[in-house]
């Protein structure tokens, strides 16, 4: 990884920008549980159980094309999902190790931000007040391919250069968006996309567990 110029005893990165679904929140099973219903409602292709693993190896754009969803429908589907999730946030937990990870980063002086396409109320409900308070910026409701502008806004508000920031997500689109802004991208292996799909994009770092994120962000002097 590159990272900013850290002084002895300081973190390698000054800020970590996290994705939410599949990175902090274990929401994959919930989305799969309602997938057929959503497909019927919005008239796109259903995904047989045996095809799910294969789709995890494709980019978000490829999956959308495969499902036959026109781009104009994406915001409508997103609003439906957010509204439905609002009544079922109790069904979704954070991944094991996420809370201690956030606590350790904050304690080390790393600034935290959240950029997600999910609704803010949903993210806050699932994170809980104590975890929400750890984030100095929360950017929610980003369009499916619109994270790059949100990253730029986070950097502008934080008054940080791109070299000081690491983005952390579970999908290929997270890596692509980070590259557009010039920030390093880290990919978690416990989320939606398959390992081979993520590593094919050569992220700055890959993480097998939340504790690996702490080690990478703090660096050898952390």
């Amino acid at each position: 990884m590159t990272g900013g110029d850290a002084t002895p005893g300081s973190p390698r990165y000054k800020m970590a920008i996290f994705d939410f679904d599949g990175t902090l929140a274990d929401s994959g099973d919930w989305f799969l549980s309602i997938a057929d219903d959503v497909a019927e409602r919005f008239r796109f292709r259903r995904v047989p159980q045996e095809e799910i693993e294969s789709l995890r190896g494709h980019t978000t754009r490829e999956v959308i094309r495969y499902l036959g969803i026109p781009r104009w429908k994406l915001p409508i589907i997103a609003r439906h999902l957010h509204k439905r999730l609002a009544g079922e946030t109790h069904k979704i937990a954070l991944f094991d190790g996420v809370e201690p990870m956030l606590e350790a980063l904050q304690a080390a002086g790393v600034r935290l931000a959240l950029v997600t396409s999910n609704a803010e109320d949903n993210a806050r409900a699932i994170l809980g007040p104590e975890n929400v308070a750890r984030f100095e910026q929360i950017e929610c409701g980003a369009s499916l391919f619109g994270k790059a502008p949100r990253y730029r806004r986070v950097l502008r508000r934080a008054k940080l250069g791109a070299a000081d920031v690491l983005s952390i997500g579970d999908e290929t689109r997270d890596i692509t968006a980070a590259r557009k802004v010039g920030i390093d991208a880290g990919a978690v292996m416990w989320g939606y996309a398959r390992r081979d799909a993520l590593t094919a994009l050569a992220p700055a770092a890959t993480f097998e567990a939340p504790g690996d994120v702490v080690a990478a962000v703090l660096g050898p002097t952390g």
Side-chain angles (χ1 to χ4, degrees):
M1 292 188 302
T2 55
D5 294 328
T7 57
S10 68
R12 176 176 292 174
Y13 293 96
K14 295 179 180 179
M15 172 176 274
I17 303 178
F18 285 94
D19 170 54
F20 183 65
D21 291 294
T23 301
L24 301 180
D26 188 3
S27 50
D29 287 344
W30 181 85
F31 282 113
L32 287 175
S33 73
I34 66 168
D36 284 350
D37 180 56
V38 176
E40 181 176 354
R41 181 185 183 98
F42 293 100
R43 301 182 181 278
F44 61 83
R45 181 176 180 176
R46 292 190 181 194
V47 181
Q49 185 69 31
E50 61 270 18
E51 292 184 10
I52 292 175
E53 182 61 25
S54 174
L55 286 180
R56 291 179 64 238
H58 291 274
T59 67
T60 306
R61 292 182 188 275
E62 290 170 341
V63 172
I64 289 171
R65 283 197 297 269
Y66 171 85
L67 296 177
I69 304 174
R71 288 183 68 101
W72 66 266
K73 273 191 180 181
L74 294 177
I76 301 171
I77 295 172
R79 285 194 294 270
H80 170 77
L81 290 172
H82 297 165
K83 184 176 180 180
R84 185 160 178 173
L85 178 57
E88 301 184 27
T89 54
H90 61 283
K91 296 182 179 181
I92 298 175
L94 301 179
F95 284 104
D96 290 341
V98 161
E99 291 192 58
M101 171 189 71
L102 297 177
E103 181 180 6
L105 291 174
Q106 183 187 41
V110 178
R111 300 163 69 179
L112 304 179
L114 183 71
V115 174
T116 175
S117 55
N118 210 324
E120 184 168 345
D121 287 347
N122 293 341
R124 287 179 175 273
I126 294 167
L127 282 168
E130 187 172 353
N131 289 316
V132 168
R134 302 188 193 283
F135 290 91
E136 69 173 64
Q137 293 189 55
I138 296 179
E139 288 282 339
C140 293
S143 66
L144 201 58
F145 302 110
K147 281 193 171 182
R150 301 297 181 111
Y151 288 161
R152 290 191 185 96
R153 182 153 58 185
V154 168
L155 265 63
R156 185 170 64 251
R157 289 176 174 174
K159 298 181 179 180
L160 291 174
D164 294 322
V165 179
L166 175 70
S167 77
I168 301 161
D170 71 308
E171 295 187 62
T172 57
R173 64 190 176 106
D174 298 319
I175 299 174
T176 301
R179 289 231 169 96
K180 288 180 180 178
V181 181
I183 61 179
D184 282 352
V188 305
M189 296 293 111
W190 58 80
Y192 168 76
R194 270 188 354 210
R195 177 187 301 271
D196 56 341
L198 293 169
T199 57
L201 294 182
T206 58
F207 309 117
E208 301 295 334
D212 296 338
V213 175
V214 178
V217 174
L218 299 190
T221 58

